[in-house]
């Protein structure tokens, strides 16, 4: 499951009360490890995602930011002009030592019982924060820059491509066995604009990582995948995350059987009667097909989600008998994982 920093787990909320600063929690090795292991200790999923944020590497690039509880991330000096570009510098991985240390410890803690999963933000998504100065509802500033100052936006994206490529390699070398690329706000672009402003950056990152870390699975997730699925496939990633707004059967049909997919149970089902959750898990797995599917939610776990429902999700997933869901024979080992 994709876990959110909002804290559906009581153990996380208790720790957050003691350490109220999000950046302290996400930039202190001991806290990162402790928080990352909370869902592992409670539910034993097949993957343990390092606790972090897509904006965590920004100070290592020359872009300081704060996190305010009510407003979220705040960048006090947005980059919107050629002069602003002077603040950027190559990523200083020493300033991200806590990430490398945490991944190494997590790899040791879970051993071969689960995969350690790292993640990064895609250049376009990170650029939206850098240009807008924080989270936006309309993205008008960065979208208008596509036309009013394309050379500045191109420079920002180029800088981020190199930095994020280095950051992924650093995570892999530190212990990550899979890396998710979140183009969270890529879905805010019309498909032709995403093709122009986001896809090339992801392709370049994938090519770099392929050469440096062959065999490391890369997952691409976009919030609002409906109009982008076929274009996402062209980035060269190994797995495409599908949000719950796309019917899984339609998503598999559009993508074909040659690429793996992840998703896509609507998180609201975790608030539903358990038989409804059971039926939906079975439906999603059947629609995804017998191979190349990572069962998960179609987005993060909302605050207020009952922990017993999360536990039940994993219980149902582990009880699946795939040969009962599909008409044709499949390989002996299960091909759908949580």
């Amino acid at each position: 499951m994709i876990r959110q920093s909002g804290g559906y787990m009581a153990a996380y909320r208790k720790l957050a009360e003691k350490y109220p600063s999000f950046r302290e929690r996400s930039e202190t090795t001991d806290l990162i490890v402790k928080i990352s292991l909370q869902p592992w200790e409670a539910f034993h999923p097949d993957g343990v995602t390092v606790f972090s944020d897509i904006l965590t590497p920004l100070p290592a690039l020359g872009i300081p930011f704060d996190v305010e509880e009510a407003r979220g991330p705040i960048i006090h000096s947005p980059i919107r002009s050629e002069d602003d570009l002077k603040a950027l510098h190559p990523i200083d991985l020493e300033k991200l030592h806590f990430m490398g240390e945490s991944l190494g410890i997590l790899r040791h803690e879970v051993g071969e019982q689960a995969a350690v999963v790292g993640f990064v933000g895609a250049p376009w998504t990170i650029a939206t924060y850098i240009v807008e100065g924080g989270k936006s509802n309309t993205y008008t500033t960065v979208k208008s820059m596509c036309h009013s100052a394309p050379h500045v936006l191109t420079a920002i994206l180029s800088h981020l491509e190199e930095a994020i490529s280095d950051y992924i390699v650093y995570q892999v070398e530190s212990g990550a066995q899979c890396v998710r690329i979140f183009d969270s706000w890529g879905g805010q672009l019309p498909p032709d604009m995403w093709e122009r402003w986001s896809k090339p950056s992801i392709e370049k990152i994938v090519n770099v990582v392929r050469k440096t870390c062959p065999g490391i699975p890369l997952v691409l997730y976009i919030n609002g995948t409906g109009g982008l699925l076929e274009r996402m496939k062209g980035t060269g990633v190994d797995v495409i995350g599908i949000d719950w707004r796309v019917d899984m059967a339609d998503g598999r049909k559009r993508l074909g059987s040659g690429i793996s997919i992840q998703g896509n149970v609507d998180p609201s089902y975790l608030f539903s009667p358990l038989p409804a959750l059971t039926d939906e898990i079975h439906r999603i797995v059947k629609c995804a097909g017998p191979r190349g599917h990572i069962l998960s939610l179609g987005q993060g776990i909302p605050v207020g989600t009952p922990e017993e429902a999360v536990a039940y999700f994993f219980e149902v997933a582990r009880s699946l008998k795939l040969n009962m869901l599909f008409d044709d024979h499949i390989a002996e080992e299960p091909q759908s994982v949580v």
Side-chain angles (χ1 to χ4, degrees):
M1 289 191 177
I2 311 169
R3 84 162 283 167
Q4 296 285 69
S5 61
Y8 72 99
M9 295 186 72
Y12 176 83
R13 294 195 298 273
K14 183 177 180 180
L15 186 145
E17 289 178 4
K18 185 176 181 181
Y19 303 96
S21 167
F22 175 80
R23 288 197 58 186
E24 181 182 10
R25 296 195 298 273
S26 60
E27 298 179 17
T28 304
T29 301
D30 291 346
L31 296 179
I32 294 171
V33 171
K34 188 176 183 66
I35 295 169
S36 302
L37 289 175
Q38 285 176 343
W40 160 252
E41 293 166 349
F43 311 116
H44 290 281
D46 295 322
V48 175
T49 302
V50 65
F51 180 77
S52 186
D53 189 82
I54 61 173
L55 300 186
T56 293
L58 287 189
L61 302 174
I63 308 172
F65 75 99
D66 297 318
V67 179
E68 297 181 6
E69 188 163 341
R71 296 174 60 191
I74 305 296
I75 296 172
H76 297 289
S77 299
I79 297 178
R80 297 172 180 170
S81 68
E82 289 188 52
D83 284 342
D84 295 337
L85 291 171
K86 297 175 183 177
L88 296 174
H89 58 68
I91 191 167
D92 183 355
L93 294 172
E94 285 295 321
K95 293 183 177 180
L96 298 168
H97 63 90
F98 50 83
M99 175 61 82
E101 294 164 358
S102 299
L103 286 166
I105 295 171
L106 290 173
R107 175 77 264 129
H108 175 75
E109 288 291 325
V110 304
E112 299 304 317
Q113 299 177 72
V116 173
V117 183
F119 69 90
V120 298
W124 167 262
T125 288
I126 295 181
T128 67
Y129 289 96
I130 293 174
V131 172
E132 298 283 349
K135 191 174 180 180
S136 172
N137 293 322
T138 61
Y139 304 92
T140 51
T141 304
V142 68
K143 283 185 175 183
S144 65
M145 185 180 284
C146 295
H147 311 286
S148 62
H151 60 294
V152 176
L153 184 54
T154 297
I156 293 172
L157 293 172
S158 178
H159 193 90
L160 291 173
E161 289 161 12
E162 183 175 348
I164 294 169
S165 297
D166 291 344
Y167 191 37
I168 291 178
V169 172
Y170 177 67
Q171 291 189 27
V172 172
E173 291 177 344
S174 298
Q177 296 170 293
C178 172
V179 177
R180 294 173 58 89
I181 301 172
F182 283 92
D183 195 8
S184 305
W185 309 131
Q188 296 294 326
L189 288 169
D192 66 314
M193 291 288 283
W194 184 83
E195 189 98 27
R196 166 70 178 84
W197 289 103
S198 184
K199 182 180 178 182
S201 296
I202 297 171
E203 288 178 316
K204 291 175 184 176
I205 290 170
V206 170
N207 288 336
V208 170
V209 176
R210 286 276 181 270
K211 293 176 182 177
T212 311
C213 308
I216 291 296
L218 297 175
V219 184
L220 175 60
Y221 177 82
I222 298 176
N223 185 16
T225 52
L228 300 172
L229 282 181
E230 292 84 357
R231 290 172 168 86
M232 292 169 68
K233 184 177 180 181
T235 60
V237 296
D238 302 282
V239 184
I240 292 177
I242 302 178
D243 68 31
W244 79 88
R245 302 169 188 87
V246 177
D247 183 79
M248 180 57 83
D250 182 52
R252 174 54 88 188
K253 181 178 179 181
R254 290 169 61 186
L255 290 169
S257 59
I259 189 167
S260 296
I261 53 180
Q262 179 171 353
N264 70 337
V265 176
D266 183 343
S268 69
Y269 272 93
L270 295 172
F271 296 85
S272 303
L274 297 183
L277 176 58
T278 301
D279 291 344
E280 181 64 2
I281 291 172
H282 280 246
R283 187 187 74 82
I284 293 293
V285 171
K286 188 171 183 178
C287 288
R291 289 183 175 82
H293 175 218
I294 302 172
L295 175 64
S296 72
L297 299 180
Q299 201 174 358
I301 304 178
V303 177
T305 297
E307 290 187 48
E308 56 268 26
V310 177
Y312 184 78
F313 181 101
F314 287 104
E315 180 183 329
V316 172
R318 292 193 182 95
S319 70
L320 287 176
K321 302 296 183 183
L322 297 190
N323 59 341
M324 296 175 63
L325 290 176
F326 302 104
D327 294 329
D328 55 341
H329 293 291
I330 62 173
E332 292 182 1
E333 68 275 12
Q335 298 292 321
S336 184
V337 298
V338 183

